[in-house]
Amino acid sequence: MGNRMQEGKDYEDSLAPVPHATSGCIIISIAAAQDLELHSCDLAQAFIQADKLDEGVNWLIFIRPPQGAVEDADTVFEVCRPLYGIPSSARALHLTLSHWFKEEGFTTAGFEDSVWVREAGGKYVHQLIVSAHIDDTLMACESLYTLQAFKSEFLTRFEGTNEGEVTTYPALVVNSSVTGSTGASRSDKLWMCGRSFNFTEPGTSQLSRHHWNQGGITGHLSFVTMTRCDLALA
């Protein structure tokens, strides 16, 4: 588990890159500026769709038989698929996605290992841009037909749902108007955060002082960021 990881031994085996929040904003901005189609897909039970890691110390895991199973006393089962709760599962998913994208002709975008770009030509006649935040993907393309064809291929390889056109992204409201995508103001971001914890008055964009619970917000956000490294990085 994460609290048993040792520096120089298994840190790298659990690293799963995710796009920085800025990268998502850039993709949305590019889609708005160039009038691109912007869609998303969500992977179902993503980790168990990943290929098992053949590296490091975190990929070899055994469990005892479940209660009620008729097995010898010294029998253990090897875990053959990444599962939620295993430190290396997110990395296994990232490497599986990365391998598939490269087979489809994509290359990573600069330093972002979880943002891929495929130039126009061959199977897809228009450029495709894809980012993957663990199991949530953001896809941009000039042509709806090309994008639909790619999503069909993607959802054939990976089980998931076609979420269609993107309308929201963390801390952003995505508009399909001529003016393109717009970012929420700081007060709106506070309101979105507060609304999640019922700390706002209906119809207002400011946190009401008598509803403010700093300890509650800090506790919830600390739990999220300390247990989800991908969210903390983003």
Side-chain angles (χ1 to χ4, degrees):
M1 295 298 103
N3 63 321
R4 300 178 183 174
M5 294 166 61
Q6 300 178 31
E7 186 174 0
K9 184 177 181 181
D10 55 0
Y11 274 8
E12 296 299 322
D13 302 332
S14 301
L15 175 65
V18 295
H20 193 277
T22 305
S23 298
C25 295
I26 290 174
I27 294 174
I28 293 173
S29 298
I30 292 173
Q34 299 184 8
D35 195 24
L36 305 181
E37 299 289 340
L38 187 65
H39 288 211
S40 67
C41 290
D42 181 64
L43 298 182
Q45 299 295 315
F47 288 165
I48 63 174
Q49 297 193 56
D51 298 327
K52 185 178 178 182
L53 289 177
D54 291 325
E55 59 179 53
V57 299
N58 283 326
W59 65 272
L60 192 59
I61 294 178
F62 298 92
I63 60 174
R64 296 186 179 90
Q67 187 175 4
V70 181
E71 300 287 349
D72 295 336
D74 57 350
T75 297
V76 294
F77 295 151
E78 181 181 354
V79 177
C80 296
R81 284 285 180 181
L83 301 176
Y84 284 82
I86 297 176
S88 58
S89 293
R91 177 173 177 80
L93 176 61
H94 167 74
L95 293 177
T96 302
L97 288 170
S98 183
H99 179 70
W100 184 81
F101 280 124
K102 289 177 180 177
E103 285 185 338
E104 292 294 307
F106 285 79
T107 57
T108 52
F111 62 86
E112 286 284 16
D113 290 334
S114 49
V115 178
W116 296 270
V117 178
R118 189 189 190 281
E119 299 301 333
K123 183 190 297 187
Y124 305 111
V125 296
H126 297 88
Q127 184 190 61
L128 287 158
I129 304 173
V130 181
S131 73
H133 194 287
I134 305 297
D135 56 349
D136 297 312
T137 62
L138 197 62
M139 305 175 176
C141 182
E142 176 185 350
S143 165
L144 179 59
Y145 177 82
T146 299
L147 185 58
Q148 296 284 23
F150 170 72
K151 288 197 296 182
S152 177
E153 289 280 343
F154 181 77
L155 294 176
T156 297
R157 170 58 181 86
F158 300 99
E159 182 181 350
T161 56
N162 180 0
E163 300 295 316
E165 188 175 5
V166 174
T167 56
T168 60
Y169 193 76
L172 291 175
V173 176
V174 183
N175 298 325
S176 58
S177 63
V178 177
T179 56
S181 306
T182 59
S185 66
R186 184 173 180 273
S187 62
D188 287 337
K189 292 177 184 177
L190 286 173
W191 178 74
M192 289 182 206
C193 176
R195 183 177 59 178
S196 300
F197 299 99
N198 297 319
F199 295 150
T200 61
E201 291 284 3
T204 67
S205 59
Q206 300 291 334
L207 292 175
S208 300
R209 290 186 178 275
H210 65 281
H211 280 177
W212 178 261
N213 184 339
Q214 185 177 5
I217 290 182
T218 302
H220 282 82
L221 294 183
S222 295
F223 174 79
V224 169
T225 56
M226 287 189 293
T227 58
R228 288 289 300 272
C229 299
D230 55 312
L231 295 180
L233 177 60

Short mmCIF file of all heavy atoms in Angstrom, two decimals, residues 133-164:
data_model
loop_
_atom_site.label_atom_id
_atom_site.label_comp_id
_atom_site.label_asym_id
_atom_site.label_seq_id
_atom_site.Cartn_x
_atom_site.Cartn_y
_atom_site.Cartn_z
N HIS A 133 -7.54 11.81 -17.93
CA HIS A 133 -7.37 12.02 -16.50
C HIS A 133 -7.85 10.76 -15.80
O HIS A 133 -9.00 10.64 -15.39
CB HIS A 133 -8.18 13.24 -16.04
CG HIS A 133 -7.81 13.73 -14.68
ND1 HIS A 133 -8.15 13.06 -13.54
CD2 HIS A 133 -7.09 14.81 -14.28
CE1 HIS A 133 -7.70 13.71 -12.49
NE2 HIS A 133 -7.05 14.78 -12.91
N ILE A 134 -6.95 9.78 -15.69
CA ILE A 134 -7.26 8.43 -15.22
C ILE A 134 -8.32 7.80 -16.14
O ILE A 134 -7.99 7.29 -17.20
CB ILE A 134 -7.71 8.40 -13.75
CG1 ILE A 134 -6.64 9.08 -12.89
CG2 ILE A 134 -7.90 6.96 -13.28
CD1 ILE A 134 -5.31 8.42 -12.87
N ASP A 135 -9.61 7.87 -15.81
CA ASP A 135 -10.64 7.22 -16.62
C ASP A 135 -11.52 8.21 -17.37
O ASP A 135 -12.46 7.80 -18.05
CB ASP A 135 -11.52 6.31 -15.75
CG ASP A 135 -12.16 7.07 -14.60
OD1 ASP A 135 -11.76 8.22 -14.34
OD2 ASP A 135 -13.05 6.50 -13.94
N ASP A 136 -11.23 9.50 -17.26
CA ASP A 136 -12.01 10.52 -17.95
C ASP A 136 -11.19 11.12 -19.09
O ASP A 136 -10.07 11.58 -18.86
CB ASP A 136 -12.43 11.64 -16.98
CG ASP A 136 -13.33 11.12 -15.88
OD1 ASP A 136 -14.29 10.42 -16.20
OD2 ASP A 136 -13.06 11.42 -14.70
N THR A 137 -11.76 11.10 -20.29
CA THR A 137 -11.02 11.58 -21.45
C THR A 137 -11.67 12.83 -22.04
O THR A 137 -12.88 13.03 -21.94
CB THR A 137 -10.96 10.50 -22.56
OG1 THR A 137 -12.30 10.20 -22.99
CG2 THR A 137 -10.29 9.24 -22.04
N LEU A 138 -10.82 13.65 -22.63
CA LEU A 138 -11.24 14.86 -23.33
C LEU A 138 -10.73 14.73 -24.75
O LEU A 138 -9.53 14.48 -24.97
CB LEU A 138 -10.64 16.08 -22.64
CG LEU A 138 -11.22 17.47 -22.92
CD1 LEU A 138 -12.68 17.54 -22.48
CD2 LEU A 138 -10.40 18.53 -22.20
N MET A 139 -11.61 14.85 -25.76
CA MET A 139 -11.24 14.62 -27.16
C MET A 139 -11.66 15.80 -28.02
O MET A 139 -12.80 16.25 -27.94
CB MET A 139 -11.92 13.34 -27.67
CG MET A 139 -11.66 12.10 -26.84
SD MET A 139 -12.60 10.67 -27.43
CE MET A 139 -11.99 9.39 -26.34
N ALA A 140 -10.73 16.28 -28.83
CA ALA A 140 -11.01 17.42 -29.70
C ALA A 140 -10.63 17.09 -31.14
O ALA A 140 -9.59 16.46 -31.38
CB ALA A 140 -10.24 18.65 -29.23
N CYS A 141 -11.48 17.51 -32.08
CA CYS A 141 -11.22 17.26 -33.50
C CYS A 141 -12.03 18.23 -34.34
O CYS A 141 -13.13 18.65 -33.94
CB CYS A 141 -11.58 15.82 -33.86
SG CYS A 141 -11.24 15.37 -35.58
N GLU A 142 -11.52 18.58 -35.51
CA GLU A 142 -12.22 19.51 -36.40
C GLU A 142 -13.49 18.90 -36.97
O GLU A 142 -14.50 19.58 -37.15
CB GLU A 142 -11.28 19.91 -37.54
CG GLU A 142 -11.90 20.78 -38.60
CD GLU A 142 -10.96 21.05 -39.76
OE1 GLU A 142 -9.77 20.70 -39.66
OE2 GLU A 142 -11.42 21.60 -40.79
N SER A 143 -13.44 17.59 -37.23
CA SER A 143 -14.56 16.91 -37.89
C SER A 143 -15.33 16.03 -36.92
O SER A 143 -14.73 15.19 -36.24
CB SER A 143 -14.04 16.06 -39.06
OG SER A 143 -15.02 15.13 -39.50
N LEU A 144 -16.64 16.20 -36.86
CA LEU A 144 -17.47 15.35 -36.02
C LEU A 144 -17.43 13.92 -36.51
O LEU A 144 -17.39 12.98 -35.71
CB LEU A 144 -18.91 15.87 -36.01
CG LEU A 144 -19.91 15.05 -35.17
CD1 LEU A 144 -19.48 14.99 -33.71
CD2 LEU A 144 -21.31 15.63 -35.30
N TYR A 145 -17.41 13.73 -37.83
CA TYR A 145 -17.36 12.38 -38.40
C TYR A 145 -16.09 11.65 -37.97
O TYR A 145 -16.12 10.50 -37.54
CB TYR A 145 -17.43 12.45 -39.93
CG TYR A 145 -17.31 11.11 -40.61
CD1 TYR A 145 -18.41 10.27 -40.73
CD2 TYR A 145 -16.08 10.67 -41.11
CE1 TYR A 145 -18.30 9.02 -41.35
CE2 TYR A 145 -15.95 9.43 -41.72
CZ TYR A 145 -17.07 8.62 -41.83
OH TYR A 145 -16.95 7.38 -42.44
N THR A 146 -14.94 12.34 -38.07
CA THR A 146 -13.66 11.73 -37.66
C THR A 146 -13.66 11.44 -36.16
O THR A 146 -13.20 10.38 -35.73
CB THR A 146 -12.49 12.66 -38.02
OG1 THR A 146 -12.46 12.88 -39.43
CG2 THR A 146 -11.16 12.07 -37.58
N LEU A 147 -14.19 12.37 -35.38
CA LEU A 147 -14.24 12.18 -33.94
C LEU A 147 -15.12 11.00 -33.56
O LEU A 147 -14.77 10.19 -32.69
CB LEU A 147 -14.74 13.45 -33.26
CG LEU A 147 -14.73 13.47 -31.72
CD1 LEU A 147 -13.33 13.22 -31.19
CD2 LEU A 147 -15.28 14.80 -31.19
N GLN A 148 -16.26 10.87 -34.22
CA GLN A 148 -17.15 9.74 -33.95
C GLN A 148 -16.48 8.42 -34.32
O GLN A 148 -16.63 7.42 -33.60
CB GLN A 148 -18.47 9.90 -34.73
CG GLN A 148 -19.29 11.12 -34.35
CD GLN A 148 -20.03 10.93 -33.03
OE1 GLN A 148 -19.65 10.12 -32.21
NE2 GLN A 148 -21.09 11.71 -32.83
N ALA A 149 -15.75 8.41 -35.43
CA ALA A 149 -15.05 7.20 -35.85
C ALA A 149 -13.99 6.82 -34.82
O ALA A 149 -13.82 5.63 -34.49
CB ALA A 149 -14.41 7.41 -37.22
N PHE A 150 -13.26 7.81 -34.32
CA PHE A 150 -12.24 7.53 -33.31
C PHE A 150 -12.87 7.03 -32.01
O PHE A 150 -12.39 6.08 -31.41
CB PHE A 150 -11.39 8.77 -33.04
CG PHE A 150 -10.49 8.61 -31.86
CD1 PHE A 150 -9.37 7.79 -31.93
CD2 PHE A 150 -10.77 9.24 -30.66
CE1 PHE A 150 -8.54 7.61 -30.83
CE2 PHE A 150 -9.96 9.07 -29.56
CZ PHE A 150 -8.83 8.26 -29.64
N LYS A 151 -13.95 7.67 -31.58
CA LYS A 151 -14.60 7.25 -30.35
C LYS A 151 -15.11 5.81 -30.48
O LYS A 151 -15.08 5.05 -29.51
CB LYS A 151 -15.74 8.20 -29.99
CG LYS A 151 -15.29 9.55 -29.49
CD LYS A 151 -16.41 10.31 -28.77
CE LYS A 151 -17.54 10.64 -29.70
NZ LYS A 151 -18.60 11.42 -29.01
N SER A 152 -15.58 5.45 -31.66
CA SER A 152 -16.05 4.08 -31.89
C SER A 152 -14.90 3.10 -31.71
O SER A 152 -15.06 2.04 -31.07
CB SER A 152 -16.65 3.96 -33.28
OG SER A 152 -17.04 2.63 -33.55
N GLU A 153 -13.73 3.44 -32.26
CA GLU A 153 -12.55 2.58 -32.10
C GLU A 153 -12.13 2.50 -30.63
O GLU A 153 -11.81 1.44 -30.11
CB GLU A 153 -11.39 3.13 -32.94
CG GLU A 153 -11.57 2.99 -34.44
CD GLU A 153 -11.22 1.59 -34.92
OE1 GLU A 153 -10.56 0.84 -34.18
OE2 GLU A 153 -11.62 1.24 -36.04
N PHE A 154 -12.15 3.65 -29.98
CA PHE A 154 -11.73 3.72 -28.58
C PHE A 154 -12.64 2.87 -27.69
O PHE A 154 -12.17 2.12 -26.84
CB PHE A 154 -11.74 5.18 -28.12
CG PHE A 154 -11.29 5.40 -26.70
CD1 PHE A 154 -9.95 5.37 -26.37
CD2 PHE A 154 -12.22 5.64 -25.70
CE1 PHE A 154 -9.53 5.56 -25.06
CE2 PHE A 154 -11.82 5.83 -24.39
CZ PHE A 154 -10.47 5.79 -24.07
N LEU A 155 -13.94 2.99 -27.89
CA LEU A 155 -14.90 2.26 -27.06
C LEU A 155 -15.04 0.80 -27.49
O LEU A 155 -15.70 0.02 -26.80
CB LEU A 155 -16.26 2.96 -27.08
CG LEU A 155 -16.27 4.34 -26.43
CD1 LEU A 155 -17.63 5.02 -26.58
CD2 LEU A 155 -15.91 4.24 -24.94
N THR A 156 -14.44 0.43 -28.61
CA THR A 156 -14.34 -0.98 -28.97
C THR A 156 -13.21 -1.63 -28.19
O THR A 156 -13.32 -2.77 -27.72
CB THR A 156 -14.10 -1.14 -30.48
OG1 THR A 156 -15.22 -0.60 -31.20
CG2 THR A 156 -13.93 -2.60 -30.86
N ARG A 157 -12.12 -0.88 -28.06
CA ARG A 157 -10.97 -1.40 -27.28
C ARG A 157 -11.22 -1.33 -25.78
O ARG A 157 -10.86 -2.24 -25.04
CB ARG A 157 -9.71 -0.60 -27.64
CG ARG A 157 -8.49 -0.87 -26.75
CD ARG A 157 -8.09 -2.33 -26.78
NE ARG A 157 -6.94 -2.57 -25.91
CZ ARG A 157 -7.01 -2.82 -24.60
NH1 ARG A 157 -8.22 -2.85 -24.02
NH2 ARG A 157 -5.93 -3.05 -23.89
N PHE A 158 -11.83 -0.25 -25.31
CA PHE A 158 -12.08 -0.07 -23.88
C PHE A 158 -13.58 0.06 -23.63
O PHE A 158 -14.27 0.79 -24.34
CB PHE A 158 -11.37 1.19 -23.37
CG PHE A 158 -9.89 1.17 -23.53
CD1 PHE A 158 -9.30 1.82 -24.60
CD2 PHE A 158 -9.09 0.49 -22.63
CE1 PHE A 158 -7.92 1.80 -24.76
CE2 PHE A 158 -7.71 0.46 -22.78
CZ PHE A 158 -7.12 1.12 -23.86
N GLU A 159 -14.05 -0.63 -22.61
CA GLU A 159 -15.47 -0.52 -22.26
C GLU A 159 -15.71 0.80 -21.54
O GLU A 159 -15.00 1.17 -20.61
CB GLU A 159 -15.87 -1.67 -21.34
CG GLU A 159 -17.34 -1.66 -20.96
CD GLU A 159 -17.71 -2.79 -20.03
OE1 GLU A 159 -16.88 -3.69 -19.82
OE2 GLU A 159 -18.85 -2.76 -19.50
N GLY A 160 -16.71 1.53 -22.01
CA GLY A 160 -17.01 2.82 -21.40
C GLY A 160 -18.25 3.42 -22.00
O GLY A 160 -19.00 2.76 -22.73
N THR A 161 -18.47 4.69 -21.69
CA THR A 161 -19.65 5.40 -22.19
C THR A 161 -19.23 6.62 -23.00
O THR A 161 -18.24 7.29 -22.68
CB THR A 161 -20.56 5.84 -21.03
OG1 THR A 161 -19.80 6.66 -20.12
CG2 THR A 161 -21.10 4.64 -20.29
N ASN A 162 -20.00 6.89 -24.03
CA ASN A 162 -19.81 8.08 -24.84
C ASN A 162 -20.56 9.23 -24.17
O ASN A 162 -21.79 9.27 -24.19
CB ASN A 162 -20.33 7.82 -26.26
CG ASN A 162 -20.17 9.02 -27.17
OD1 ASN A 162 -19.66 10.08 -26.76
ND2 ASN A 162 -20.59 8.88 -28.42
N GLU A 163 -19.83 10.16 -23.57
CA GLU A 163 -20.45 11.27 -22.85
C GLU A 163 -20.89 12.40 -23.76
O GLU A 163 -21.53 13.35 -23.30
CB GLU A 163 -19.48 11.80 -21.79
CG GLU A 163 -19.04 10.77 -20.75
CD GLU A 163 -20.19 10.30 -19.89
OE1 GLU A 163 -20.99 11.15 -19.45
OE2 GLU A 163 -20.29 9.07 -19.67
N GLY A 164 -20.54 12.32 -25.04
CA GLY A 164 -20.97 13.34 -25.99
C GLY A 164 -20.22 14.66 -25.83
O GLY A 164 -19.08 14.70 -25.35
#
